[in-house]
Amino acid sequence: MILLKNDANRCLLVGDLAVISQPSTRHKCMNATIDIDFVETENQKLVSQMVRDFGAREIKPKMMEWDEEQIFPVDLFHKMGALGLMGVLVPEEYSGAGFGYLEYITALSEISKIDGSIGLSMAAHNSLCSNHLLQFGNGEQKLKYLPKLATGEWIGAWGLTEPNTGSDSGNMKTTAVRDGDHFIINGSKNFITHGRSGNLAVVIVRTGEPGDSKGMSSFLVEKGTPGFSSGKKENKLGMRASETAELIFSDCKVHRSQMLGAEGEGFIQAMKVLDGGRISIAALSLGIAMGAYEAALSYSKERHQFNQPISKFQGIAFKLADMATKIEAAKLLTFRAGEMKDKGLEVRKESAMAKLYASEVAVEVANDCVQIFGGYGYTKDFPAEKYYRDAKLCTIGEGTSEIQKLVISRSILR
Ligand SMILES: Cc1cc2nc3c(=O)[nH]c(=O)nc-3n(C[C@H](O)[C@H](O)[C@H](O)COP(=O)(O)OP(=O)(O)OC[C@H]3O[C@@H](n4cnc5c(N)ncnc54)[C@H](O)[C@@H]3O)c2cc1C
C-alpha cells in the first residue's frame, strides 16, 4: 500500500507501497499573495506513480474499446474510489483522501495523459458534484452523501446547463416551486456528465424571478426520485467514455432538506464551484497535452524519412520545442491557481486564465501531435487522433474560451 501524508500530516492508505513523505527542497518564487514551489513534492511524485501504474493496468488495455463503443466504465470508477481518486479533496472524516489541489491536479493530469474521458469524469465527480456539496452542504447532507461519493460507491453529477442556456446559464428555465415542505422541479438539463449513471445530482434551478441572479437555488436529487429521469445520451466527437446525457424533471418532488445552503444562493454557489472546477479542466487539458507531446516526441525519434529520424528535421524539432514550452507555461498557470485555491485565496481570474490557456494549448499540441505522426496520426492504430478529438472539449466545457476571456476581462477591468 502507499501511505501518503495529507496536510494534517496524517498517513493515508492509498495503494500498494509504504512510503513516508519527506520534506522536499523547494525553490520559492514570492510575490504579494503566493509562494510557488517549482519542485514536485514527494506526495505528488507518489500520486503520479500510483496513477500511472493504475492506468497501465486498468485503463490502457480497454480504453479504445470504451471509446469506440462509447462505454462509460462504471466499475473503473469504483476501483478509482478505492484508491482515493474519487474523493481527492474530500476530508478524511467523510472517507476522502483529504488532499489539496496540488495532489488533485497531479492525479487528474496523470489520468488524462492516458485517457482524457476518464479525466473528464473524474473532474466532474470530484470538483463539481462533491465539491459543491463539500462547500455548501450542511453537516447532515455531508455525512449522508460525501462518504458514498468519496469512496466511489456512488457516481456524482452536476447540472447547470440547459438546452437553451449554456454560456448564459443564469437565464435557466428549469423551476422549483415551493409546495409546503417540498419543492416541485420541472424542466431539463442537458450535456450533463453522468446524466444516466449518476447516483446523485446537484442541480441548480430557478426558485425566483427570471433575470435575478439571486433567484436560483441548488438541490441534491437522488437517482430514483419520482419524476427524475435521464434522457438522450450524446454521441460525441471525443471524450466518448465519459457519459454525457440529459436530466429530465417532471413534477419531481424533493424535500426542502435537500436544498444546499439557503434559497436564492444557487447561482452564486455555482460560480464559486466553477472557480475550482476550471482548475480541474486546466489539469485535464495539461494531461492531454502532455500525453500528446510525449507520444509525438518518441515517435519522432523512431520514424525515419530521408535516412534519418524525423526529429532531426528542424521543422519537427521546433514544433516539439513549441509544444514543450507551451506545456510548461500551462503547468505554471494551473499549479499557481491550485496553490492559491489551497491557500483559500480568490481564484476567479487565475482559474479562468489557467483553463483558457491550458485548454487552447491542449488543442494546439494535439494538432501538432497528429501532424508529427503524419498519416499514421490519422488512424486509430496510434494515440494521436484520440488526443486530438478529446482535447477540443476542454475549450468548451465549464465555460468556453470566450467565456473565460469574459471572466478575466471583467476581473481586470473592475
Ligand atoms: C462533453 C460535455 C460535458 C459537459 N458536462 C457538463 C456538466 O457535467 N454539467 C453542466 O452543467 N454542463 C456540462 N456541459 C455543458 C458545457 O458547460 C456547455 O456546453 C458550455 O458551457 C457552453 O454552452 P453551450 O454549449 O450552450 O454553448 P453556447 O453558450 O450556445 O455558446 C455557443 C458559442 O457562442 C459563444 N458565446 C456565448 N456567449 C458569448 C459571449 N457573451 N461572448 C462571446 N461569445 C459567446 C461561445 O463561446 C460559443 O463559442 C458539458 C458539455 C459537454 C460538451
Side-chain angles (χ1 to χ4, degrees), residues 158 162 167 242 278:
W158 189 79
E162 295 184 2
S167 303
S242 177
R278 284 168 182 158

Side-chain angles (χ1 to χ4, degrees), residues 129-372:
C129 180
S130 302
N131 231 19
H132 197 137
L133 175 54
L134 185 61
Q135 282 187 63
F136 301 106
N138 60 35
E140 208 174 306
Q141 291 166 336
K142 288 184 196 176
L143 266 180
K144 184 172 177 191
Y145 294 118
L146 276 179
K148 288 192 170 83
L149 292 168
T151 55
E153 183 189 339
W154 277 22
I155 307 287
W158 189 79
L160 177 69
T161 306
E162 295 184 2
N164 294 316
T165 56
S167 303
D168 187 16
S169 56
N171 234 336
M172 63 180 63
K173 301 287 180 282
T174 300
T175 55
V177 177
R178 194 182 264 278
D179 177 21
D181 279 345
H182 292 80
F183 281 84
I184 311 292
I185 308 180
N186 276 295
S188 68
K189 297 278 168 188
N190 79 331
F191 291 144
I192 306 306
T193 303
H194 314 144
R196 279 192 181 172
S197 303
N199 304 87
L200 180 73
V202 171
V203 289
I204 299 95
V205 296
R206 179 159 300 289
T207 46
E209 292 305 309
D212 179 3
S213 63
K214 298 203 174 96
M216 289 159 273
S217 307
S218 54
F219 290 90
L220 292 154
V221 187
E222 284 185 38
K223 187 178 191 166
T225 305
F228 176 41
S229 59
S230 56
K232 182 185 170 216
K233 176 177 167 176
E234 304 297 340
N235 184 5
K236 306 196 298 293
L237 167 73
M239 301 293 198
R240 288 172 59 80
S242 177
E243 178 188 85
T244 313
E246 195 183 9
L247 301 179
I248 300 168
F249 299 91
S250 180
D251 287 335
C252 173
K253 193 172 177 180
V254 292
H255 194 265
R256 62 182 168 80
S257 61
Q258 295 297 93
M259 185 184 276
L260 287 159
E263 188 169 338
E265 284 179 356
F267 190 69
I268 295 137
Q269 291 175 1
M271 295 304 110
K272 287 188 179 155
V273 169
L274 284 173
D275 287 343
R278 284 168 182 158
I279 300 175
S280 74
I281 302 299
L284 164 66
S285 310
L286 196 55
I288 293 174
M290 291 190 304
Y293 163 72
E294 286 176 18
L297 179 66
S298 84
Y299 184 80
S300 73
K301 293 181 198 160
E302 287 159 16
R303 176 72 174 169
H304 284 66
Q305 291 293 283
F306 301 96
N307 300 318
Q308 57 179 331
I310 59 170
S311 59
K312 298 272 184 205
F313 301 123
Q314 198 179 55
I316 298 292
F318 278 14
K319 225 183 256 309
L320 289 165
D322 283 340
M323 290 159 89
T325 306
K326 287 176 193 171
I327 288 171
E328 285 307 309
K331 210 182 270 181
L332 289 175
L333 282 175
T334 307
F335 276 96
R336 179 179 75 139
E339 184 147 355
M340 287 177 70
K341 186 90 176 99
D342 280 340
K343 289 192 157 81
L345 299 169
E346 159 78 45
V347 292
R348 183 146 300 167
K349 180 182 72 182
E350 289 74 12
S351 65
M353 284 176 164
K355 199 266 181 190
L356 169 65
Y357 187 75
S359 64
E360 295 291 343
V361 161
V363 171
E364 290 163 21
V365 169
N367 182 39
D368 284 343
C369 172
V370 173
Q371 196 66 22
I372 289 173

Side-chain angles (χ1 to χ4, degrees), residues 3-14 21 26 37 41-44 47 87-93 96-104 134 338-344:
L3 294 173
L4 301 183
K5 279 187 169 185
N6 63 7
D7 280 350
N9 228 24
R10 291 181 53 195
C11 291
L12 299 169
L13 184 140
V14 182
S21 67
R26 290 171 163 186
D37 295 331
T41 65
E42 284 303 311
N43 276 353
Q44 283 175 265
V47 167
V88 185
L89 300 165
V90 175
E92 290 164 85
E93 59 182 305
F99 280 121
Y101 270 79
L102 297 192
E103 289 82 7
Y104 179 51
L134 185 61
E339 184 147 355
M340 287 177 70
K341 186 90 176 99
D342 280 340
K343 289 192 157 81

